[in-house]
Amino acid sequence: MIALLRAAVPLFLAMVAGMVGSLVVTSVLGKHDTVTLAAFAVVTAVLNPAGAAVQGALRGLGPFVAPYRDDPAAAVPIVRDARWLSLATGLVGALAVICVPLIASATGVPGEVVREMGLLPYFLAVSLLVFASTGGSSTILIALGHTRSVLWPTLVSGVVLGGLTVVLVPPLGLTGVGLAWLISGTAAALVATYGVRRALRRPVGQARPRTGEIVALAKVSIPLAGTVLIKFGVLGVVTFAAGTTSTRDTAAHAVLTTLTGFIMMASLSVAQAAMPDVARAPDPAGARRANRTAALLAVMGTLTGAGLLLGLGEQLLRLFSDDVAVRERVLGLLPLMLLASLLDAAQAVQGFGLTALKRSAASLSYFAIGYGLLVVAAVPVARAWGITGLWVAMAVANGLLVVLQGTGFHRHSAKVGRVLVG
């Protein structure tokens, strides 16, 4: 458990650094102009799921690289294959970001907001391609046991993004954000590429795409991207459902969702750090032991975060809202949100475990069931029981996923060491 904790801490710090950079951008834009912030929010509504889908697809590389931890140079051909796949997924995501103004106009977003976007979608699309060009550097470093090296690209990105945003937004508006995003992403990509080269002990170099091997990677990676899109899409519907309630309840839901993001960082970092251990396990007992350890540590991290939230309570919520009624609503729903987050943390570990076993397609099917039921229930539940009902529904959906993903992991891990998984 200590080894896993040491591996997870740098990943947790990397997530914090990335979130701080994003918060600086939001804060600066909010003080700059309301229309500018609204335009940024519309663009990132597409950028976030597109980027998360690309990142999710790159995580599928982990179980292919992890077996080469003792001979990293032998993983170079796989890394080259992954780069081709990541560029393909990145291109799809970049095209989606470029189309944001057209999508916004077609869906009734005010013209002044669409015009305010300017060149931002293009800068962010190029930035997404730059990220994809690294070929899943973070996943490679985690798989090879170099989790500390994951922190530096994110730290560089967060510092450069925050600093350039403060300097460029006042004179350039959203164009300044676009430049800051692209420059910080490029700097992070350079640092990540250097880290991967050190971990592999040789340059990655160039090679023709190996179609069969890329397809094998895609069978694990693409379902992961699908899982991310399902989660983002359904949570978007839940947010829309919350918007059909009162204004204060909608604001309270937004605060609770933000707090959930902070809570989940611990479990996600542990789940990623544990993936190589599960992938390298020689037998079912080893895979299940690694998974149990990760689940226990993820739950402990979530409970620690929950304790901090409950302890700080009113003082912390003042950072999110000046409305006393909103803060009281959040405080009343905090235990329910923490339950939903705890269950989400547990299911996330199982999902990453299935990815380590190269069974991400099974995880995708479980998400389709659990979140499919949630998306059907969201609007009727919100109308009948408000956001309290919505958070109960999310807790139930996450609980169902714990059962489905946990059962699936147990079943598929039984094949470790007996047959080739792939």
Side-chain angles (χ1 to χ4, degrees):
M1 182 178 290
I2 299 299
L4 179 58
L5 182 60
R6 287 175 178 170
V9 168
L11 303 183
F12 176 79
L13 295 176
M15 292 181 188
V16 172
M19 184 169 288
V20 168
S22 298
L23 289 175
V24 170
V25 173
T26 302
S27 175
V28 171
L29 288 177
K31 295 178 180 179
H32 178 73
D33 186 77
T34 301
V35 176
T36 303
L37 180 59
F40 178 74
V42 173
V43 177
T44 53
V46 176
L47 174 69
N48 288 339
V54 172
Q55 189 173 42
L58 298 181
R59 286 173 181 162
L61 176 62
F64 294 88
V65 175
Y68 297 97
R69 180 175 292 187
D70 297 327
D71 184 18
V76 168
I78 299 172
V79 174
R80 290 171 181 163
D81 296 331
R83 189 162 54 188
W84 287 106
L85 179 61
S86 65
L87 283 172
T89 56
L91 181 60
V92 173
L95 290 174
V97 175
I98 289 174
C99 291
V100 169
L102 293 176
I103 297 171
S105 297
T107 54
V109 174
E112 63 174 345
V113 174
V114 176
R115 290 190 294 272
E116 185 69 17
M117 294 176 187
L119 296 175
L120 179 66
Y122 299 94
F123 280 117
L124 297 185
V126 174
S127 179
L128 188 58
L129 284 174
V130 170
F131 170 71
S133 71
T134 62
S137 57
S138 295
T139 301
I140 295 167
L141 292 168
I142 293 169
L144 295 177
H146 294 263
T147 56
R148 291 184 181 179
S149 298
V150 175
L151 173 60
W152 303 118
T154 311
L155 189 60
V156 167
S157 176
V159 171
V160 174
L161 176 61
L164 288 180
T165 297
V166 172
V167 173
L168 296 179
V169 166
L172 299 177
L174 280 186
T175 299
V177 173
L179 283 169
W181 210 286
L182 179 56
I183 293 170
S184 64
T186 302
L190 292 172
V191 175
T193 300
Y194 175 72
V196 169
R197 178 170 179 169
R198 288 189 61 190
L200 293 173
R201 301 173 189 169
R202 55 166 291 188
V204 175
Q206 302 290 334
R208 292 182 178 180
R210 302 185 301 172
T211 305
E213 286 76 4
I214 293 173
V215 169
L217 283 172
K219 288 180 179 178
V220 178
S221 297
I222 300 305
L224 268 177
T227 300
V228 172
L229 287 175
I230 287 175
K231 186 165 188 176
F232 265 90
V234 173
L235 292 180
V237 172
V238 170
T239 299
F240 170 79
T244 64
T245 63
S246 69
T247 302
R248 281 175 175 162
D249 273 9
T250 302
H253 177 79
V255 173
L256 289 166
T257 301
T258 301
L259 293 175
T260 299
F262 285 103
I263 287 289
M264 286 300 295
M265 285 193 296
S267 60
L268 291 175
S269 59
V270 169
Q272 290 183 68
M275 188 189 294
D277 295 334
V278 176
R280 287 161 50 89
D283 51 40
R288 291 168 182 171
R289 182 167 54 251
N291 190 63
R292 281 196 306 270
T293 302
L296 177 60
L297 196 54
V299 169
M300 290 171 59
T302 303
L303 289 174
T304 300
L308 289 173
L309 282 181
L310 292 172
L312 294 173
E314 181 72 20
Q315 292 80 3
L316 178 65
L317 295 180
R318 289 180 187 275
L319 299 175
F320 295 92
S321 177
D322 294 327
D323 191 320
V324 176
V326 170
R327 295 201 301 267
E328 289 178 350
R329 193 76 172 106
V330 172
L331 281 174
L333 289 171
L334 203 55
L336 188 55
M337 181 276 282
L338 295 174
L339 173 61
S341 299
L342 187 65
L343 293 170
D344 200 8
Q347 73 81 20
V349 172
Q350 306 304 317
F352 274 88
L354 284 166
T355 298
L357 299 177
K358 302 180 184 177
R359 298 297 181 187
S360 55
S363 185
L364 175 61
S365 66
Y366 302 146
F367 252 87
I369 295 171
Y371 271 57
L373 294 173
L374 178 59
V375 76
V376 171
V379 173
V381 166
R383 288 174 178 171
W385 297 288
I387 62 170
T388 301
L390 280 177
W391 281 95
V392 170
M394 283 191 283
V396 171
N398 289 335
L400 177 59
L401 280 174
V402 171
V403 175
L404 292 175
Q405 302 249 62
T407 302
F409 180 85
H410 186 81
R411 179 163 61 88
H412 289 295
S413 64
K415 302 174 184 178
V416 173
R418 291 198 290 114
V419 296
L420 288 175
V421 181

PDB file of all heavy atoms in Angstrom, residues 266-303:
ATOM      1  N   ALA A 266      -8.382  12.136  -5.703  1.00  0.00           N
ATOM      2  CA  ALA A 266      -7.624  11.129  -4.950  1.00  0.00           C
ATOM      3  C   ALA A 266      -7.850   9.738  -5.522  1.00  0.00           C
ATOM      4  O   ALA A 266      -6.898   8.976  -5.755  1.00  0.00           O
ATOM      5  CB  ALA A 266      -8.021  11.170  -3.473  1.00  0.00           C
ATOM      6  N   SER A 267      -9.103   9.382  -5.768  1.00  0.00           N
ATOM      7  CA  SER A 267      -9.396   8.035  -6.263  1.00  0.00           C
ATOM      8  C   SER A 267      -8.865   7.831  -7.670  1.00  0.00           C
ATOM      9  O   SER A 267      -8.362   6.748  -8.005  1.00  0.00           O
ATOM     10  CB  SER A 267     -10.901   7.773  -6.218  1.00  0.00           C
ATOM     11  OG  SER A 267     -11.599   8.694  -7.024  1.00  0.00           O
ATOM     12  N   LEU A 268      -8.955   8.860  -8.516  1.00  0.00           N
ATOM     13  CA  LEU A 268      -8.464   8.720  -9.882  1.00  0.00           C
ATOM     14  C   LEU A 268      -6.951   8.557  -9.924  1.00  0.00           C
ATOM     15  O   LEU A 268      -6.420   7.777 -10.727  1.00  0.00           O
ATOM     16  CB  LEU A 268      -8.889   9.932 -10.721  1.00  0.00           C
ATOM     17  CG  LEU A 268     -10.383  10.042 -11.028  1.00  0.00           C
ATOM     18  CD1 LEU A 268     -10.680  11.347 -11.760  1.00  0.00           C
ATOM     19  CD2 LEU A 268     -10.855   8.847 -11.849  1.00  0.00           C
ATOM     20  N   SER A 269      -6.249   9.277  -9.065  1.00  0.00           N
ATOM     21  CA  SER A 269      -4.792   9.141  -9.031  1.00  0.00           C
ATOM     22  C   SER A 269      -4.390   7.753  -8.555  1.00  0.00           C
ATOM     23  O   SER A 269      -3.467   7.130  -9.105  1.00  0.00           O
ATOM     24  CB  SER A 269      -4.174  10.218  -8.137  1.00  0.00           C
ATOM     25  OG  SER A 269      -4.663  10.135  -6.809  1.00  0.00           O
ATOM     26  N   VAL A 270      -5.082   7.221  -7.565  1.00  0.00           N
ATOM     27  CA  VAL A 270      -4.785   5.874  -7.073  1.00  0.00           C
ATOM     28  C   VAL A 270      -5.106   4.837  -8.145  1.00  0.00           C
ATOM     29  O   VAL A 270      -4.326   3.892  -8.379  1.00  0.00           O
ATOM     30  CB  VAL A 270      -5.590   5.580  -5.793  1.00  0.00           C
ATOM     31  CG1 VAL A 270      -5.498   4.105  -5.422  1.00  0.00           C
ATOM     32  CG2 VAL A 270      -5.093   6.440  -4.646  1.00  0.00           C
ATOM     33  N   ALA A 271      -6.245   4.988  -8.804  1.00  0.00           N
ATOM     34  CA  ALA A 271      -6.650   4.026  -9.828  1.00  0.00           C
ATOM     35  C   ALA A 271      -5.639   3.981 -10.963  1.00  0.00           C
ATOM     36  O   ALA A 271      -5.287   2.895 -11.454  1.00  0.00           O
ATOM     37  CB  ALA A 271      -8.034   4.391 -10.352  1.00  0.00           C
ATOM     38  N   GLN A 272      -5.146   5.152 -11.389  1.00  0.00           N
ATOM     39  CA  GLN A 272      -4.142   5.172 -12.454  1.00  0.00           C
ATOM     40  C   GLN A 272      -2.825   4.543 -12.000  1.00  0.00           C
ATOM     41  O   GLN A 272      -2.184   3.807 -12.758  1.00  0.00           O
ATOM     42  CB  GLN A 272      -3.894   6.616 -12.893  1.00  0.00           C
ATOM     43  CG  GLN A 272      -5.041   7.239 -13.649  1.00  0.00           C
ATOM     44  CD  GLN A 272      -4.696   8.641 -14.103  1.00  0.00           C
ATOM     45  OE1 GLN A 272      -3.846   8.860 -14.964  1.00  0.00           O
ATOM     46  NE2 GLN A 272      -5.364   9.625 -13.517  1.00  0.00           N
ATOM     47  N   ALA A 273      -2.420   4.852 -10.787  1.00  0.00           N
ATOM     48  CA  ALA A 273      -1.160   4.314 -10.272  1.00  0.00           C
ATOM     49  C   ALA A 273      -1.207   2.801 -10.127  1.00  0.00           C
ATOM     50  O   ALA A 273      -0.179   2.119 -10.259  1.00  0.00           O
ATOM     51  CB  ALA A 273      -0.830   4.958  -8.933  1.00  0.00           C
ATOM     52  N   ALA A 274      -2.393   2.254  -9.852  1.00  0.00           N
ATOM     53  CA  ALA A 274      -2.522   0.803  -9.644  1.00  0.00           C
ATOM     54  C   ALA A 274      -2.621   0.021 -10.942  1.00  0.00           C
ATOM     55  O   ALA A 274      -2.408  -1.197 -10.943  1.00  0.00           O
ATOM     56  CB  ALA A 274      -3.757   0.513  -8.784  1.00  0.00           C
ATOM     57  N   MET A 275      -2.948   0.689 -12.051  1.00  0.00           N
ATOM     58  CA  MET A 275      -3.161  -0.026 -13.305  1.00  0.00           C
ATOM     59  C   MET A 275      -1.964  -0.896 -13.722  1.00  0.00           C
ATOM     60  O   MET A 275      -2.139  -2.067 -14.095  1.00  0.00           O
ATOM     61  CB  MET A 275      -3.513   0.960 -14.422  1.00  0.00           C
ATOM     62  CG  MET A 275      -3.929   0.262 -15.720  1.00  0.00           C
ATOM     63  SD  MET A 275      -4.112   1.384 -17.125  1.00  0.00           S
ATOM     64  CE  MET A 275      -5.522   2.349 -16.588  1.00  0.00           C
ATOM     65  N   PRO A 276      -0.703  -0.386 -13.646  1.00  0.00           N
ATOM     66  CA  PRO A 276       0.417  -1.245 -14.029  1.00  0.00           C
ATOM     67  C   PRO A 276       0.559  -2.479 -13.142  1.00  0.00           C
ATOM     68  O   PRO A 276       0.946  -3.554 -13.621  1.00  0.00           O
ATOM     69  CB  PRO A 276       1.635  -0.322 -13.873  1.00  0.00           C
ATOM     70  CG  PRO A 276       1.084   1.056 -13.975  1.00  0.00           C
ATOM     71  CD  PRO A 276      -0.268   0.995 -13.351  1.00  0.00           C
ATOM     72  N   ASP A 277       0.253  -2.348 -11.848  1.00  0.00           N
ATOM     73  CA  ASP A 277       0.356  -3.491 -10.945  1.00  0.00           C
ATOM     74  C   ASP A 277      -0.639  -4.585 -11.322  1.00  0.00           C
ATOM     75  O   ASP A 277      -0.317  -5.776 -11.276  1.00  0.00           O
ATOM     76  CB  ASP A 277       0.115  -3.056  -9.497  1.00  0.00           C
ATOM     77  CG  ASP A 277       1.191  -2.122  -8.985  1.00  0.00           C
ATOM     78  OD1 ASP A 277       2.324  -2.185  -9.509  1.00  0.00           O
ATOM     79  OD2 ASP A 277       0.911  -1.319  -8.077  1.00  0.00           O
ATOM     80  N   VAL A 278      -1.838  -4.185 -11.693  1.00  0.00           N
ATOM     81  CA  VAL A 278      -2.836  -5.165 -12.121  1.00  0.00           C
ATOM     82  C   VAL A 278      -2.415  -5.786 -13.448  1.00  0.00           C
ATOM     83  O   VAL A 278      -2.516  -7.005 -13.637  1.00  0.00           O
ATOM     84  CB  VAL A 278      -4.227  -4.506 -12.253  1.00  0.00           C
ATOM     85  CG1 VAL A 278      -5.254  -5.505 -12.788  1.00  0.00           C
ATOM     86  CG2 VAL A 278      -4.690  -3.946 -10.907  1.00  0.00           C
ATOM     87  N   ALA A 279      -1.923  -4.960 -14.372  1.00  0.00           N
ATOM     88  CA  ALA A 279      -1.531  -5.455 -15.694  1.00  0.00           C
ATOM     89  C   ALA A 279      -0.350  -6.428 -15.617  1.00  0.00           C
ATOM     90  O   ALA A 279      -0.257  -7.354 -16.430  1.00  0.00           O
ATOM     91  CB  ALA A 279      -1.180  -4.273 -16.603  1.00  0.00           C
ATOM     92  N   ARG A 280       0.541  -6.224 -14.649  1.00  0.00           N
ATOM     93  CA  ARG A 280       1.732  -7.073 -14.530  1.00  0.00           C
ATOM     94  C   ARG A 280       1.523  -8.283 -13.625  1.00  0.00           C
ATOM     95  O   ARG A 280       2.423  -9.116 -13.484  1.00  0.00           O
ATOM     96  CB  ARG A 280       2.888  -6.234 -13.957  1.00  0.00           C
ATOM     97  CG  ARG A 280       3.466  -5.237 -14.933  1.00  0.00           C
ATOM     98  CD  ARG A 280       4.262  -4.131 -14.238  1.00  0.00           C
ATOM     99  NE  ARG A 280       5.237  -4.647 -13.294  1.00  0.00           N
ATOM    100  CZ  ARG A 280       6.491  -4.978 -13.597  1.00  0.00           C
ATOM    101  NH1 ARG A 280       6.905  -4.852 -14.852  1.00  0.00           N
ATOM    102  NH2 ARG A 280       7.312  -5.421 -12.688  1.00  0.00           N
ATOM    103  N   ALA A 281       0.354  -8.398 -13.031  1.00  0.00           N
ATOM    104  CA  ALA A 281       0.103  -9.505 -12.091  1.00  0.00           C
ATOM    105  C   ALA A 281       0.239 -10.851 -12.805  1.00  0.00           C
ATOM    106  O   ALA A 281      -0.282 -11.032 -13.914  1.00  0.00           O
ATOM    107  CB  ALA A 281      -1.280  -9.375 -11.473  1.00  0.00           C
ATOM    108  N   PRO A 282       0.917 -11.823 -12.175  1.00  0.00           N
ATOM    109  CA  PRO A 282       1.130 -13.115 -12.831  1.00  0.00           C
ATOM    110  C   PRO A 282      -0.054 -14.073 -12.718  1.00  0.00           C
ATOM    111  O   PRO A 282      -0.119 -15.067 -13.440  1.00  0.00           O
ATOM    112  CB  PRO A 282       2.344 -13.676 -12.085  1.00  0.00           C
ATOM    113  CG  PRO A 282       2.229 -13.090 -10.704  1.00  0.00           C
ATOM    114  CD  PRO A 282       1.631 -11.732 -10.890  1.00  0.00           C
ATOM    115  N   ASP A 283      -0.965 -13.796 -11.793  1.00  0.00           N
ATOM    116  CA  ASP A 283      -2.073 -14.722 -11.567  1.00  0.00           C
ATOM    117  C   ASP A 283      -3.286 -13.949 -11.048  1.00  0.00           C
ATOM    118  O   ASP A 283      -3.192 -12.767 -10.704  1.00  0.00           O
ATOM    119  CB  ASP A 283      -1.664 -15.808 -10.568  1.00  0.00           C
ATOM    120  CG  ASP A 283      -1.065 -15.253  -9.282  1.00  0.00           C
ATOM    121  OD1 ASP A 283      -1.593 -14.225  -8.783  1.00  0.00           O
ATOM    122  OD2 ASP A 283      -0.081 -15.815  -8.779  1.00  0.00           O
ATOM    123  N   PRO A 284      -4.456 -14.602 -10.986  1.00  0.00           N
ATOM    124  CA  PRO A 284      -5.664 -13.914 -10.504  1.00  0.00           C
ATOM    125  C   PRO A 284      -5.516 -13.338  -9.103  1.00  0.00           C
ATOM    126  O   PRO A 284      -5.991 -12.222  -8.834  1.00  0.00           O
ATOM    127  CB  PRO A 284      -6.731 -15.017 -10.545  1.00  0.00           C
ATOM    128  CG  PRO A 284      -6.266 -15.957 -11.605  1.00  0.00           C
ATOM    129  CD  PRO A 284      -4.767 -15.956 -11.490  1.00  0.00           C
ATOM    130  N   ALA A 285      -4.855 -14.068  -8.212  1.00  0.00           N
ATOM    131  CA  ALA A 285      -4.705 -13.588  -6.839  1.00  0.00           C
ATOM    132  C   ALA A 285      -3.926 -12.276  -6.799  1.00  0.00           C
ATOM    133  O   ALA A 285      -4.272 -11.349  -6.062  1.00  0.00           O
ATOM    134  CB  ALA A 285      -4.010 -14.641  -5.986  1.00  0.00           C
ATOM    135  N   GLY A 286      -2.871 -12.180  -7.624  1.00  0.00           N
ATOM    136  CA  GLY A 286      -2.068 -10.959  -7.657  1.00  0.00           C
ATOM    137  C   GLY A 286      -2.853  -9.781  -8.207  1.00  0.00           C
ATOM    138  O   GLY A 286      -2.760  -8.664  -7.685  1.00  0.00           O
ATOM    139  N   ALA A 287      -3.620 -10.021  -9.273  1.00  0.00           N
ATOM    140  CA  ALA A 287      -4.426  -8.944  -9.865  1.00  0.00           C
ATOM    141  C   ALA A 287      -5.485  -8.459  -8.880  1.00  0.00           C
ATOM    142  O   ALA A 287      -5.708  -7.249  -8.724  1.00  0.00           O
ATOM    143  CB  ALA A 287      -5.077  -9.439 -11.154  1.00  0.00           C
ATOM    144  N   ARG A 288      -6.130  -9.402  -8.203  1.00  0.00           N
ATOM    145  CA  ARG A 288      -7.192  -9.023  -7.264  1.00  0.00           C
ATOM    146  C   ARG A 288      -6.617  -8.332  -6.030  1.00  0.00           C
ATOM    147  O   ARG A 288      -7.224  -7.402  -5.478  1.00  0.00           O
ATOM    148  CB  ARG A 288      -7.987 -10.269  -6.869  1.00  0.00           C
ATOM    149  CG  ARG A 288      -8.817 -10.812  -8.010  1.00  0.00           C
ATOM    150  CD  ARG A 288      -9.364 -12.197  -7.723  1.00  0.00           C
ATOM    151  NE  ARG A 288     -10.125 -12.702  -8.865  1.00  0.00           N
ATOM    152  CZ  ARG A 288     -10.567 -13.946  -8.973  1.00  0.00           C
ATOM    153  NH1 ARG A 288     -10.324 -14.832  -7.997  1.00  0.00           N
ATOM    154  NH2 ARG A 288     -11.251 -14.331 -10.036  1.00  0.00           N
ATOM    155  N   ARG A 289      -5.452  -8.756  -5.602  1.00  0.00           N
ATOM    156  CA  ARG A 289      -4.816  -8.115  -4.443  1.00  0.00           C
ATOM    157  C   ARG A 289      -4.456  -6.667  -4.769  1.00  0.00           C
ATOM    158  O   ARG A 289      -4.697  -5.756  -3.964  1.00  0.00           O
ATOM    159  CB  ARG A 289      -3.579  -8.904  -4.042  1.00  0.00           C
ATOM    160  CG  ARG A 289      -2.878  -8.336  -2.805  1.00  0.00           C
ATOM    161  CD  ARG A 289      -1.846  -9.310  -2.259  1.00  0.00           C
ATOM    162  NE  ARG A 289      -0.890  -9.733  -3.273  1.00  0.00           N
ATOM    163  CZ  ARG A 289      -0.849 -10.959  -3.814  1.00  0.00           C
ATOM    164  NH1 ARG A 289      -1.729 -11.879  -3.432  1.00  0.00           N
ATOM    165  NH2 ARG A 289       0.048 -11.261  -4.728  1.00  0.00           N
ATOM    166  N   ALA A 290      -3.888  -6.429  -5.962  1.00  0.00           N
ATOM    167  CA  ALA A 290      -3.550  -5.068  -6.374  1.00  0.00           C
ATOM    168  C   ALA A 290      -4.802  -4.208  -6.478  1.00  0.00           C
ATOM    169  O   ALA A 290      -4.807  -3.036  -6.079  1.00  0.00           O
ATOM    170  CB  ALA A 290      -2.810  -5.097  -7.710  1.00  0.00           C
ATOM    171  N   ASN A 291      -5.862  -4.799  -6.993  1.00  0.00           N
ATOM    172  CA  ASN A 291      -7.115  -4.057  -7.147  1.00  0.00           C
ATOM    173  C   ASN A 291      -7.748  -3.733  -5.794  1.00  0.00           C
ATOM    174  O   ASN A 291      -8.262  -2.621  -5.587  1.00  0.00           O
ATOM    175  CB  ASN A 291      -8.086  -4.880  -8.000  1.00  0.00           C
ATOM    176  CG  ASN A 291      -9.301  -4.086  -8.416  1.00  0.00           C
ATOM    177  OD1 ASN A 291      -9.192  -3.102  -9.135  1.00  0.00           O
ATOM    178  ND2 ASN A 291     -10.463  -4.526  -7.978  1.00  0.00           N
ATOM    179  N   ARG A 292      -7.713  -4.695  -4.857  1.00  0.00           N
ATOM    180  CA  ARG A 292      -8.265  -4.452  -3.514  1.00  0.00           C
ATOM    181  C   ARG A 292      -7.502  -3.343  -2.807  1.00  0.00           C
ATOM    182  O   ARG A 292      -8.096  -2.475  -2.147  1.00  0.00           O
ATOM    183  CB  ARG A 292      -8.220  -5.728  -2.673  1.00  0.00           C
ATOM    184  CG  ARG A 292      -9.320  -6.724  -2.970  1.00  0.00           C
ATOM    185  CD  ARG A 292      -9.431  -7.747  -1.849  1.00  0.00           C
ATOM    186  NE  ARG A 292      -8.172  -8.406  -1.575  1.00  0.00           N
ATOM    187  CZ  ARG A 292      -7.759  -9.537  -2.178  1.00  0.00           C
ATOM    188  NH1 ARG A 292      -8.538 -10.094  -3.091  1.00  0.00           N
ATOM    189  NH2 ARG A 292      -6.610 -10.074  -1.872  1.00  0.00           N
ATOM    190  N   THR A 293      -6.176  -3.377  -2.927  1.00  0.00           N
ATOM    191  CA  THR A 293      -5.353  -2.346  -2.293  1.00  0.00           C
ATOM    192  C   THR A 293      -5.696  -0.966  -2.848  1.00  0.00           C
ATOM    193  O   THR A 293      -5.832   0.012  -2.100  1.00  0.00           O
ATOM    194  CB  THR A 293      -3.859  -2.638  -2.516  1.00  0.00           C
ATOM    195  OG1 THR A 293      -3.546  -3.931  -1.988  1.00  0.00           O
ATOM    196  CG2 THR A 293      -2.993  -1.595  -1.834  1.00  0.00           C
ATOM    197  N   ALA A 294      -5.849  -0.886  -4.177  1.00  0.00           N
ATOM    198  CA  ALA A 294      -6.200   0.388  -4.799  1.00  0.00           C
ATOM    199  C   ALA A 294      -7.572   0.863  -4.347  1.00  0.00           C
ATOM    200  O   ALA A 294      -7.764   2.054  -4.053  1.00  0.00           O
ATOM    201  CB  ALA A 294      -6.161   0.245  -6.320  1.00  0.00           C
ATOM    202  N   ALA A 295      -8.528  -0.058  -4.278  1.00  0.00           N
ATOM    203  CA  ALA A 295      -9.887   0.316  -3.859  1.00  0.00           C
ATOM    204  C   ALA A 295      -9.890   0.836  -2.431  1.00  0.00           C
ATOM    205  O   ALA A 295     -10.533   1.843  -2.109  1.00  0.00           O
ATOM    206  CB  ALA A 295     -10.823  -0.880  -3.998  1.00  0.00           C
ATOM    207  N   LEU A 296      -9.150   0.149  -1.557  1.00  0.00           N
ATOM    208  CA  LEU A 296      -9.081   0.570  -0.157  1.00  0.00           C
ATOM    209  C   LEU A 296      -8.452   1.950  -0.034  1.00  0.00           C
ATOM    210  O   LEU A 296      -8.952   2.827   0.686  1.00  0.00           O
ATOM    211  CB  LEU A 296      -8.281  -0.455   0.648  1.00  0.00           C
ATOM    212  CG  LEU A 296      -8.059  -0.128   2.134  1.00  0.00           C
ATOM    213  CD1 LEU A 296      -9.394   0.003   2.865  1.00  0.00           C
ATOM    214  CD2 LEU A 296      -7.188  -1.208   2.795  1.00  0.00           C
ATOM    215  N   LEU A 297      -7.351   2.167  -0.761  1.00  0.00           N
ATOM    216  CA  LEU A 297      -6.662   3.458  -0.691  1.00  0.00           C
ATOM    217  C   LEU A 297      -7.525   4.571  -1.295  1.00  0.00           C
ATOM    218  O   LEU A 297      -7.561   5.696  -0.775  1.00  0.00           O
ATOM    219  CB  LEU A 297      -5.327   3.364  -1.434  1.00  0.00           C
ATOM    220  CG  LEU A 297      -4.292   4.458  -1.161  1.00  0.00           C
ATOM    221  CD1 LEU A 297      -4.009   4.587   0.323  1.00  0.00           C
ATOM    222  CD2 LEU A 297      -3.003   4.167  -1.918  1.00  0.00           C
ATOM    223  N   ALA A 298      -8.245   4.265  -2.378  1.00  0.00           N
ATOM    224  CA  ALA A 298      -9.119   5.256  -2.998  1.00  0.00           C
ATOM    225  C   ALA A 298     -10.252   5.656  -2.056  1.00  0.00           C
ATOM    226  O   ALA A 298     -10.586   6.843  -1.934  1.00  0.00           O
ATOM    227  CB  ALA A 298      -9.692   4.705  -4.305  1.00  0.00           C
ATOM    228  N   VAL A 299     -10.829   4.679  -1.391  1.00  0.00           N
ATOM    229  CA  VAL A 299     -11.904   4.964  -0.441  1.00  0.00           C
ATOM    230  C   VAL A 299     -11.373   5.784   0.733  1.00  0.00           C
ATOM    231  O   VAL A 299     -12.017   6.744   1.192  1.00  0.00           O
ATOM    232  CB  VAL A 299     -12.557   3.660   0.049  1.00  0.00           C
ATOM    233  CG1 VAL A 299     -13.484   3.921   1.235  1.00  0.00           C
ATOM    234  CG2 VAL A 299     -13.344   3.009  -1.080  1.00  0.00           C
ATOM    235  N   MET A 300     -10.179   5.440   1.226  1.00  0.00           N
ATOM    236  CA  MET A 300      -9.578   6.198   2.319  1.00  0.00           C
ATOM    237  C   MET A 300      -9.315   7.650   1.907  1.00  0.00           C
ATOM    238  O   MET A 300      -9.563   8.587   2.678  1.00  0.00           O
ATOM    239  CB  MET A 300      -8.272   5.525   2.755  1.00  0.00           C
ATOM    240  CG  MET A 300      -8.458   4.191   3.473  1.00  0.00           C
ATOM    241  SD  MET A 300      -6.889   3.320   3.744  1.00  0.00           S
ATOM    242  CE  MET A 300      -5.978   4.515   4.716  1.00  0.00           C
ATOM    243  N   GLY A 301      -8.816   7.839   0.676  1.00  0.00           N
ATOM    244  CA  GLY A 301      -8.566   9.192   0.192  1.00  0.00           C
ATOM    245  C   GLY A 301      -9.853   9.987   0.061  1.00  0.00           C
ATOM    246  O   GLY A 301      -9.903  11.175   0.410  1.00  0.00           O
ATOM    247  N   THR A 302     -10.915   9.323  -0.419  1.00  0.00           N
ATOM    248  CA  THR A 302     -12.206   9.991  -0.554  1.00  0.00           C
ATOM    249  C   THR A 302     -12.765  10.368   0.815  1.00  0.00           C
ATOM    250  O   THR A 302     -13.312  11.461   1.003  1.00  0.00           O
ATOM    251  CB  THR A 302     -13.194   9.084  -1.299  1.00  0.00           C
ATOM    252  OG1 THR A 302     -12.641   8.722  -2.573  1.00  0.00           O
ATOM    253  CG2 THR A 302     -14.522   9.796  -1.520  1.00  0.00           C
ATOM    254  N   LEU A 303     -12.643   9.465   1.767  1.00  0.00           N
ATOM    255  CA  LEU A 303     -13.127   9.749   3.121  1.00  0.00           C
ATOM    256  C   LEU A 303     -12.347  10.898   3.763  1.00  0.00           C
ATOM    257  O   LEU A 303     -12.917  11.720   4.492  1.00  0.00           O
ATOM    258  CB  LEU A 303     -13.027   8.498   3.993  1.00  0.00           C
ATOM    259  CG  LEU A 303     -14.027   7.371   3.664  1.00  0.00           C
ATOM    260  CD1 LEU A 303     -13.723   6.140   4.504  1.00  0.00           C
ATOM    261  CD2 LEU A 303     -15.458   7.845   3.912  1.00  0.00           C
TER     262      LEU A 303
END
